[in-house]
Amino acid sequence: MPPKAKFSREEIIEAALNIVRTEGFDALTSRALGNKLGSSARPIFTVFQNMEEVQQSVMEAAKKVYKEYVQKGLSEKHPFKGVGTQYILFSVKEPRLFQLLFMAEHKQIPDLSNVLPLIDESYEQILLSIQNDYKINEISAKNLYYHLWIYTHGIATLCATKMCSFTGDEISRMITEVFTSLLKNMREGNEHD
């Protein structure tokens, strides 16, 4: 009969997530996790097979935290702007999780058309919110999404690495200015086609 687990799966994941939040993903070791739990590393492995499984669970937990930000953004009056603002807010409030999810090197480099569906589980929902809110077709919505993601990712990266800080009003104004300019340009381009 296997030994009874001293800690639940959820307790271990929460402790591991807290290590990543404060010290970064590289600091997540079995020893650090055991220390965080006030134990040796042994009880971790009555629940998880290895540290890779713990790390994968932490990635999933980080994605859940991020998804809460996205859902909050999608519930705002202008969902697309809400998501962009929440993306930046996530980088400010959870810089290590932001770095883990959105600044880690990938083994294969996706092209622009594949990067957003790859990194964001809410991609389709966000895309649909753009189409519905601004009454534009899917191609225009994708174009707008890519441009604004590149812009908001730049701001978020500056925030997550503490290179620069912005007030909520500054973020709102910057996103609005770029979005309005892009949308106007797209609509004018469609009139001339």
Side-chain angles (χ1 to χ4, degrees):
M1 190 157 89
K4 185 179 182 311
K6 185 174 179 180
F7 301 103
S8 71
R9 185 175 186 82
E10 292 73 27
E11 288 171 321
I12 295 169
I13 293 169
E14 187 62 32
L17 188 64
N18 285 329
I19 290 170
V20 174
R21 277 181 158 136
T22 57
E23 301 171 51
F25 196 66
D26 291 341
L28 180 58
T29 63
S30 58
R31 177 175 286 166
L33 187 50
N35 287 342
K36 186 80 169 171
L37 292 164
S39 169
S40 70
R42 182 171 288 176
I44 297 162
F45 301 111
T46 59
V47 178
F48 291 93
Q49 302 234 345
N50 52 43
M51 277 309 288
E52 288 77 26
E53 191 181 347
V54 173
Q55 291 169 339
Q56 189 56 45
S57 295
V58 167
M59 287 288 286
E60 293 306 314
K63 286 177 184 178
K64 280 184 188 172
V65 173
Y66 169 66
K67 195 164 188 163
E68 290 171 15
Y69 281 79
V70 171
Q71 292 307 311
K72 185 173 183 204
L74 286 169
S75 70
E76 292 182 21
K77 182 180 178 187
H78 295 292
F80 184 52
K81 182 178 180 182
V83 169
T85 303
Q86 288 297 314
Y87 184 79
I88 295 167
L89 194 60
F90 177 67
S91 79
V92 170
K93 294 196 174 198
E94 299 284 0
R96 303 276 189 174
L97 298 185
F98 179 85
Q99 290 168 20
L100 174 65
L101 295 178
F102 302 114
M103 293 178 67
E105 188 174 315
H106 289 257
K107 287 178 178 65
Q108 291 187 321
I109 303 171
D111 62 17
L112 185 60
S113 64
N114 293 320
V115 72
L116 287 173
L118 182 70
I119 65 169
D120 199 327
E121 294 172 0
S122 302
Y123 171 78
E124 292 294 334
Q125 201 176 358
I126 295 167
L127 189 62
L128 197 58
S129 79
I130 301 167
Q131 291 174 258
N132 292 340
D133 206 18
Y134 302 102
K135 309 299 181 231
I136 58 177
N137 64 36
E138 184 178 352
I139 293 168
S140 295
K142 281 182 179 179
N143 193 18
L144 202 55
Y145 190 176
Y146 292 127
H147 278 286
L148 261 294
W149 173 73
I150 290 167
Y151 187 73
T152 55
H153 184 71
I155 295 170
T157 300
L158 289 170
C159 294
T161 57
K162 302 196 183 345
M163 290 283 295
C164 198
S165 69
F166 302 95
T167 66
D169 287 342
E170 287 172 326
I171 291 168
S172 178
R173 181 182 43 78
M174 290 187 300
I175 291 173
T176 299
E177 285 175 5
V178 171
F179 174 81
T180 304
S181 173
L182 286 167
L183 188 61
K184 180 180 180 220
N185 190 35
M186 280 180 191
R187 288 190 169 148
E188 286 174 359
N190 287 342
E191 289 173 8
H192 299 301
D193 288 341

